[in-house]
Amino acid sequence: VREVAGRLTQSGRIYGLSSDILPVHVSMDGIADCPIPHLATRLHSSRNLLETLLKSVRTAVIENKIEVALFPPLFLDPKIVAWFSTELGIPVTECLATHEPVAGQRLWNAVQQALIGMGIGLFTGLQIEPVFSTNRAVSLRVFQKDGWSLIRADKFILATGKFFGGGVELGYEAVKETVFDLPLYTLRASRPVQRRNQLNLLENSFADPQDWARLGLWVNDSWQVIDHNKAPLYENIFACGGVLGGLDFSKFDVGLGFMAFTGRECARGLA
């Protein structure tokens, strides 16, 4: 926020209007300094913490005569932003992003709204069982609160993410892809990773790409999931986004752009 404010202050204008931008540090008693995603999660689950933040911000607003408040991306719910604006009596908004992303919950909310708007069904399942026929996936059996549902499709796209998204399960001993139980790899031509002890957790230098972060599915130019011999595992199963293997995102300048690009290109190729 200080870096952004510094650049805007140098320009002296925002949307054609002269503005004074003041970076304000807000202290919160009893809250240790922590990354923005951690703080956002805590704010999302604790009303008391929200009210503590509001109290501190109100003091800063009064002392500095602030007319508009621009926050880091802390609030996972737009209603909280509106509540802050009402309580403070000034416009309140958030940065779209920072170097510490808090995009997961917002992205999921946007995906849900987009699916609803396009009339695409959204299933929340407690258990998934795939059904195969020769070299094709036929359907998915999804267990919900009221019983099993059957999802049939000509093509299946895995956009399930990795560890946080739930697309890859890193267990105490075993690792697995969670929908179709497809083989996972770290590098091309490597052998499938089935056990946690294959990930060399202690052997790589901290500064080097890590095997556990590179773990994922391999795809061909048509986005079909392939094995270590580059042969498609099933002709109608495709993958994109974070579930893809071979890339340690923390070591390269990629983020949600990688997910958006691979998702778009995968969808275009299958349309």
Side-chain angles (χ1 to χ4, degrees):
V1 174
R2 288 190 176 89
E3 292 175 3
V4 173
R7 290 196 295 269
L8 290 174
T9 302
Q10 291 173 5
S11 67
R13 301 178 70 85
I14 304 178
Y15 301 118
L17 302 175
S18 296
S19 305
D20 293 325
I21 300 177
L22 176 67
V24 177
H25 176 73
V26 177
S27 61
M28 297 177 63
D29 294 337
I31 303 300
D33 189 21
C34 63
I36 288 177
H38 295 187
L39 181 57
T41 302
R42 295 182 64 182
L43 287 170
H44 187 63
S45 59
S46 173
R47 182 72 178 191
N48 289 336
L49 191 57
L50 271 176
E51 292 177 349
T52 299
L53 176 60
L54 176 64
K55 181 179 178 181
S56 298
V57 171
R58 180 181 285 116
T59 300
V61 167
I62 294 172
E63 290 179 351
N64 297 281
K65 299 180 180 179
I66 294 173
E67 297 178 350
V68 178
L70 174 63
F71 282 84
L74 285 174
F75 309 116
L76 303 180
D77 187 345
K79 294 179 181 178
I80 297 178
V81 178
W83 176 67
F84 262 71
S85 182
T86 300
E87 292 295 321
L88 295 174
I90 61 173
V92 172
T93 187
E94 296 176 280
C95 298
L96 292 177
T98 67
H99 65 288
E100 296 174 346
V102 193
Q105 184 64 40
R106 290 199 184 103
L107 179 61
W108 176 233
N109 292 340
V111 168
Q112 287 181 303
Q113 293 303 315
L115 292 175
I116 293 173
M118 292 184 290
I120 298 175
L122 182 64
F123 293 83
T124 301
L126 304 175
Q127 183 179 343
I128 299 176
E129 292 182 0
V131 179
F132 299 102
S133 176
T134 315
N135 63 337
R136 290 179 59 84
V138 177
S139 61
L140 287 172
R141 296 180 69 237
V142 181
F143 183 73
Q144 300 172 292
K145 292 181 179 180
D146 55 352
W148 289 93
S149 297
L150 192 65
I151 302 175
R152 295 182 179 274
D154 291 329
K155 300 173 182 177
F156 294 88
I157 301 176
L158 285 170
T160 47
K162 197 170 293 186
F163 306 119
F164 295 136
V168 175
E169 181 180 295
L170 184 61
Y172 182 74
E173 294 184 352
V175 296
K176 64 175 296 185
E177 186 276 314
T178 57
V179 179
F180 293 105
D181 198 18
L182 301 173
L184 298 165
Y185 303 91
T186 56
L187 299 172
R188 285 195 183 278
S190 62
R191 304 302 298 180
V193 176
Q194 298 175 315
R195 310 288 293 180
R196 189 186 184 107
N197 59 13
Q198 292 177 254
L199 295 176
N200 301 321
L201 296 176
L202 301 178
E203 295 180 12
N204 292 338
S205 168
F206 178 79
D208 294 333
Q210 304 297 310
D211 284 350
W212 64 267
R214 293 189 292 202
L215 184 66
L217 302 173
W218 282 109
V219 296
N220 58 19
D221 291 343
S222 300
W223 302 97
Q224 290 174 300
V225 180
I226 59 176
D227 61 18
H228 62 280
N229 293 316
K230 301 183 181 180
L233 292 161
Y234 299 95
E235 64 181 33
N236 65 334
I237 297 182
F238 307 83
C240 60
V243 74
L244 298 183
L247 179 65
D248 183 343
F249 293 100
S250 67
K251 302 302 178 183
F252 300 91
D253 292 331
V254 296
L256 287 178
F258 176 85
M259 320 305 175
F261 175 78
T262 58
R264 182 185 65 184
E265 293 302 305
C266 179
R268 281 180 173 178
L270 301 183

